Amino acid sequence: MTLSSVPVGVTVNGDDHEFAEPLTVRELLARLDLPSQGVALAVDGAVFPKSRWGEPVGRGWQIEVLTAVQGG
């Protein structure tokens, strides 16, 4: 079994997901019908800049998709 055929397991907003093939952060958001505009990402508790969203998602990543909320 090659690395590319090993499923990619990640947690997004507390939910576990497994993908049969590697995908980028942008592709992950699209696959999960999550917005890619007006959001910020944290990976394993650290901010993940939008400039890196074209990179492959790492196995075991804990991803949080954060949206700005206004209120008072």
Side-chain angles (χ1 to χ4, degrees):
M1 181 182 293
T2 65
L3 279 182
S4 62
S5 66
V6 175
V8 177
V10 297
T11 302
V12 180
N13 293 345
D15 295 324
D16 293 331
H17 299 275
E18 192 170 281
F19 301 96
E21 71 285 337
L23 67 167
T24 67
V25 173
R26 266 192 207 90
E27 291 167 339
L28 171 80
L29 294 174
R31 184 87 54 95
L32 297 178
D33 292 323
L34 293 169
S36 61
Q37 298 293 319
V39 298
L41 292 185
V43 174
D44 298 332
V47 173
F48 195 81
K50 199 165 195 172
S51 62
R52 295 184 57 196
W53 288 14
E55 295 179 16
V57 172
R59 287 179 180 77
W61 279 7
Q62 301 278 327
I63 301 170
E64 295 295 326
V65 181
L66 310 164
T67 58
V69 177
Q70 285 186 314

